[in-house]
Amino acid sequence: MRALETIDRGSGTPIVWIHGFPLSSLIFEGQFEIPGVRHVAPDLPGFGRSAPEPVESIDRYAERVLALLDAKGIREAVIAGVSMGGYVAFSMLRQRPSLATGLVLIDTREVPDTSEGRRNRLAQIDRVEKEGTSFLIEAMLPRMLTSATIRAGDRRTEMVRHAMESATPAGVCAALRAMADRGDSTAALRSASCPVLVVVGTEDDLTPPSDAERMSGTAKNSTLVRIPGAAHLSNVERPDVFNGAVRSFLDRS
Ligand code: MLT
């Protein structure tokens, strides 16, 4: 099996950046400027530059990222996941509790899908198999970024669209199935012994601030940062505020 295509840049504390759905490592380009950090950002199978694989679970994505870190000799790292990347981060925490020196949970949630959410994912799989991914991109883009950002028409929107367009239909269907079947990560979050940073855009309606507040209340040692003027991809929309929050988290950890 081929290694995941990965950006590996900088030196210092390793941070593993795990992207959301249906995106790629490109969404972290604004984070690679955070100094004193070795930025490791894989493309999950079927996203960005990584070839699709028959991945059937979030645990399997986590195994692929753990294998990548093993190959790089990284034994300890901060794990940072956006949305679906957060689901993968929880699984990594469960599979290898000794790895995480910090956990950054970005616009994500620890609880599984509702039965309605699950049904929607299965319907989306049917539709992607028939039509491809364009309808999904058009439906998701306005939820990823605020309307003000999209109206600004700058690099942020172009980059998110580009990341979504690079996702393969096979990769998208595998991820939808994996997300629909994921379990509850409340116990993993509660037992995390490392410091936890929870970040949320105040205008995120996919994983709203109430999810972030609950996660922050569950973790033993957590800091909650709400980013105004940001929707689901708060790291993309407000890299200045986001990077500042991560830098102070690293300085405290
Ligand atoms: C994501 O951004 O990864 C997705 O919104 C996650 C999800 O659909 O649960």
Side-chain angles (χ1 to χ4, degrees):
M1 188 152 300
R2 282 176 45 192
L4 299 177
E5 295 292 335
T6 303
I7 293 168
D8 187 344
R9 194 175 294 171
S11 58
T13 310
I15 300 192
V16 191
W17 298 102
I18 309 171
H19 64 79
F21 171 87
L23 297 155
S24 77
S25 56
L26 200 60
I27 64 159
F28 297 115
E29 67 176 24
Q31 278 60 66
F32 300 147
E33 293 163 13
I34 301 174
V37 168
R38 178 175 178 186
H39 299 276
V40 179
D43 286 332
L44 295 175
F47 296 93
R49 294 167 302 136
S50 289
E53 291 168 17
V55 177
E56 44 330 276
S57 65
I58 292 293
D59 286 346
R60 182 68 190 137
Y61 287 123
E63 283 165 22
R64 297 290 279 118
V65 180
L66 288 170
L68 172 88
L69 298 180
D70 288 343
K72 289 181 179 291
I74 297 175
R75 288 164 188 270
E76 289 192 334
V78 173
I79 312 175
V82 174
S83 203
M84 178 177 77
Y87 313 157
V88 175
F90 287 128
S91 175
M92 290 169 68
L93 202 64
R94 265 194 305 271
Q95 295 189 46
R96 184 119 21 117
S98 61
L99 173 71
T101 54
L103 187 61
V104 184
L105 300 171
I106 310 148
D107 297 279
T108 188
R109 55 162 63 104
E110 78 292 29
V111 291
D113 282 357
T114 59
S115 38
E116 191 198 345
R118 194 166 186 281
R119 269 198 305 280
N120 287 341
R121 300 225 200 250
L122 302 180
Q124 284 178 334
I125 293 174
D126 274 354
R127 208 166 153 196
V128 171
E129 282 172 350
K130 291 194 192 99
E131 296 172 31
T133 59
S134 320
F135 80 92
L136 199 65
I137 296 174
E138 296 319 317
M140 291 201 75
L141 187 65
R143 303 186 75 185
M144 295 282 171
L145 303 169
T146 59
S147 47
T149 295
I150 292 174
R151 266 198 313 276
D154 57 28
R155 166 84 192 142
R156 294 169 295 178
T157 308
E158 187 192 311
M159 181 255 280
V160 171
R161 181 179 279 284
H162 181 66
M164 293 203 283
E165 284 172 351
S166 65
T168 61
V172 165
C173 290
L176 284 166
R177 220 165 271 124
M179 289 193 289
D181 289 345
R182 77 186 193 280
D184 192 327
S185 292
T186 305
L189 178 59
R190 188 173 295 123
S191 58
S193 52
C194 61
V196 178
L197 173 65
V198 182
V199 185
V200 66
T202 56
E203 295 178 51
D204 184 357
D205 73 347
L206 281 167
T207 46
S210 54
D211 283 341
E213 284 152 18
R214 191 188 53 243
M215 287 193 296
S216 183
T218 298
K220 284 198 274 282
N221 174 5
S222 83
T223 307
L224 173 61
V225 174
R226 297 176 186 83
I227 302 196
H232 193 51
L233 297 182
S234 54
N235 63 306
V236 173
E237 284 202 282
R238 299 293 310 276
D240 48 344
V241 182
F242 180 89
N243 292 357
V246 170
R247 198 52 268 173
S248 18
F249 175 69
L250 294 176
D251 291 344
R252 282 195 314 272
S253 299

